[in-house]
Amino acid sequence: MGSELSKRYDVDKDATGSGGHGYQWRSYQATRKKDGLEVSVFVFEKAALEKQLRNQKSLFEKVVMTARRDVATLANLAGIERRQLEKVRAAAAGPTSLRDAMASAALGVGTAVATASRKAPPGCLQLIETLESRQAIVFVGERVACSLGNALHKTWPGVASDKNVQWRDHTFTTAEVARGAASLSDALQALKGAGGLIQRAHLGVSPESIWLTKTGDWRLGGFGLALSIPAGQYGVASPYFATEGAIGGELTGEPRLEYTSPELTKNGDRVAAPACDVFSLGCVLWEVFTGSKALQGCDNLYGHRSACSRLQQLDPSQLPSLIRDAVSRSLAVHPQSRLDAAALRGCPLFHAPAVAALKELDALPSRDPSLAAAFLGNLTSMLDAQKADVEYRECFTDRTLLIVVLPSLDACVRAQPKLCAPAAPALLACAARLDARAFRKSIQPIL
């Protein structure tokens, strides 16, 4: 009997991205055998981490627990019950584990599988199935390209240099960032208990916990530090940074200080609440738009507190005008002065026409045919590099055509063949702008 993973999926040998706490999760592109669904397999290699932290057993155990909590929260958001996860872990701890070749190493996978029963909230990474073995924790999720940390920080732990070349020297457009930030705002709204979900403070929002879909939208992962908050309660006591000796870094089992809100490191009572996550997202947006961190010198708690005291010195004129107020208010030192996730979602930039067009392209395959046809009728003019409004010309770069527009058109006509005719002018507009190599690789297969 083969492993459950290899029975269900064809998995690429090499990782294409890394992220999560300390960049310990590796993502591998895969295809589900029964229906051809494109997915990613996320692998946390316990054996490799144990070797890395050979003389730091307590930290090793802390980080592994963080990974398990990450999967447990994603599973809960996807409708998997705790007892199902317990069966998966029990199978992994048994005397026999099955093995599956991944990343050029033998990776044992347990025989029990827990499968999602519902879609994750908007903006959250969709978990499909989860498995575990003695050597690794594994889950299957929606297809991603890499983490925002990979693309933004130009750091690719565990990923070969010839993988994801299109994301290695990428400069994010304003519309692209706004689309991603809008999705993250949706996720933070859901974590406040929308739709009957448990209210949570994520506490780990940072570039490495944000995964980029294959078309560049953002998905929130990295839930291993999250804390549940009782219904009707503002927040809960934070267990993090309990000693003055806490240090910064990527692999600490605690939140990244560069993206941590001031109230989580202050002396005295430290309350974890959804407002902490809005601050963290504000830090991410500041960094993506300006190229520098809002909080600098966060090597320890003292450095973090000093950085927070300098927040008012930040110059918001470095940000696009339509998002200045939202980011500035997200970075307020006092949580009562910050925007909440719903107010952040109302940021004017998130509703700009170019951002709306990117969102519509992502949703195109599942749209009502008449609405999809109407959008496709307008798309051609947006793609005209000479005549389109400046906003659209800045949004629809040649790279955006390759990673967003063409894949969306392809998925659209495959899902709804009757839309071939309305999609044709937009496809020809892409062909007119791209070189022969791009035409053969990206357009000819659609034709």
Side-chain angles (χ1 to χ4, degrees):
M1 177 180 177
S3 78
E4 292 297 325
L5 187 65
S6 60
K7 283 198 305 181
R8 297 168 185 241
Y9 300 93
D10 290 319
V11 186
D12 287 356
K13 177 182 177 182
D14 298 318
T16 57
S18 54
H21 188 73
Y23 289 97
Q24 291 300 306
W25 287 97
R26 305 286 188 264
S27 64
Y28 298 79
Q29 294 190 355
T31 304
R32 190 161 63 186
K33 292 181 178 181
K34 71 176 183 179
D35 57 7
L37 178 69
E38 293 184 336
V39 299
S40 284
V41 174
F42 298 81
V43 180
F44 178 96
E45 295 190 53
K46 292 183 282 187
L49 179 66
E50 186 173 23
K51 183 177 181 180
Q52 179 183 344
L53 301 176
R54 184 178 294 109
N55 299 318
Q56 303 178 69
K57 183 178 180 181
S58 61
L59 179 57
F60 166 75
E61 293 174 346
K62 189 176 184 179
V63 175
V64 170
M65 184 56 65
T66 298
R68 286 201 176 113
R69 290 176 60 190
D70 189 354
V71 174
T73 304
L74 287 171
N76 177 267
L77 294 174
I80 297 175
E81 297 179 2
R82 178 175 294 183
R83 59 183 177 82
Q84 294 174 279
L85 290 179
E86 290 173 349
K87 288 183 179 180
V88 170
R89 291 174 186 167
T96 303
S97 63
L98 303 174
R99 307 182 73 84
D100 184 34
M102 288 188 59
S104 69
L107 179 69
V109 176
T111 57
V113 178
T115 303
S117 61
R118 67 184 179 211
K119 285 189 175 182
C124 293
L125 183 66
Q126 174 70 59
L127 180 145
I128 297 171
E129 293 183 322
T130 181
L131 314 90
E132 185 172 347
S133 76
R134 291 180 177 179
Q135 292 80 24
I137 302 170
V138 182
F139 72 89
V140 180
E142 65 181 290
R143 173 65 67 87
V144 300
C146 58
S147 71
L148 178 61
N150 290 147
L152 179 63
H153 294 156
K154 316 298 184 187
T155 180
W156 297 79
V159 182
S161 60
D162 62 338
K163 298 297 178 183
N164 257 338
V165 175
Q166 69 271 33
W167 288 99
R168 288 180 179 266
D169 296 312
H170 176 50
T171 299
F172 292 93
T173 66
T174 297
E176 191 176 4
V177 175
R179 173 184 60 165
S183 295
L184 265 287
S185 299
D186 289 336
L188 295 186
Q189 285 189 75
L191 294 183
K192 287 194 70 174
L197 296 173
I198 297 171
Q199 184 179 197
R200 293 179 173 89
H202 185 284
L203 305 183
V205 177
S206 63
E208 60 265 37
S209 71
I210 298 169
W211 293 93
L212 303 181
T213 69
K214 62 181 181 180
T215 61
D217 201 0
W218 295 6
R219 294 290 183 267
L220 184 60
F223 285 89
L225 302 170
L227 299 176
S228 299
I229 301 172
Q233 192 168 308
Y234 169 77
V236 294
S238 170
Y240 303 116
F241 310 117
T243 66
E244 284 296 308
I247 60 174
E250 296 174 350
L251 190 62
T252 63
E254 302 208 324
R256 284 282 303 275
L257 281 174
E258 298 98 323
Y259 306 96
T260 294
S261 60
E263 61 269 25
L264 289 180
T265 65
K266 70 177 186 178
N267 291 311
D269 295 336
R270 300 180 308 280
V271 178
C276 301
D277 299 330
V278 172
F279 181 91
S280 298
L281 181 53
C283 288
V284 172
L285 292 177
W286 181 274
E287 184 177 2
V288 176
F289 280 123
T290 70
S292 62
K293 289 183 170 66
L295 298 177
Q296 299 189 28
C298 297
D299 297 328
N300 50 42
L301 295 190
Y302 175 78
H304 180 263
R305 291 165 187 157
S306 296
C308 290
S309 71
R310 298 190 297 269
L311 280 170
Q312 292 184 343
Q313 299 175 19
L314 296 176
D315 179 10
S317 67
Q318 300 178 67
L319 300 167
S321 59
L322 291 179
I323 202 173
R324 286 175 192 165
D325 181 65
V327 172
S328 296
R329 293 175 65 187
S330 298
L331 292 175
V333 172
H334 301 290
Q336 295 82 359
S337 301
R338 279 178 219 142
L339 295 177
D340 65 11
L344 179 59
R345 184 63 176 85
C347 172
L349 183 61
F350 297 172
H351 301 275
V355 179
L358 291 177
K359 286 282 191 183
E360 189 64 27
L361 280 164
D362 282 332
L364 202 55
S366 59
R367 279 284 187 258
D368 176 88
S370 60
L371 296 177
F375 172 75
L376 290 169
N378 296 321
L379 179 61
T380 305
S381 61
M382 300 179 199
L383 303 179
D384 191 318
Q386 278 74 45
K387 298 180 181 179
D389 292 342
V390 172
E391 180 183 1
Y392 291 120
R393 294 203 301 271
E394 292 178 348
C395 171
F396 290 111
T397 62
D398 289 354
R399 183 181 176 283
T400 304
L401 298 186
L402 291 172
I403 71 166
V404 182
V405 178
L406 290 173
S408 296
L409 292 176
D410 185 28
C412 175
V413 298
R414 288 178 187 277
Q416 304 185 61
K418 65 177 67 175
L419 292 175
C420 284
L427 187 62
L428 293 175
C430 292
R433 290 179 49 181
L434 298 176
D435 58 27
R437 181 176 178 274
F439 180 90
R440 288 193 299 271
K441 182 179 179 181
S442 302
I443 298 179
Q444 201 165 14
I446 301 177
L447 297 175

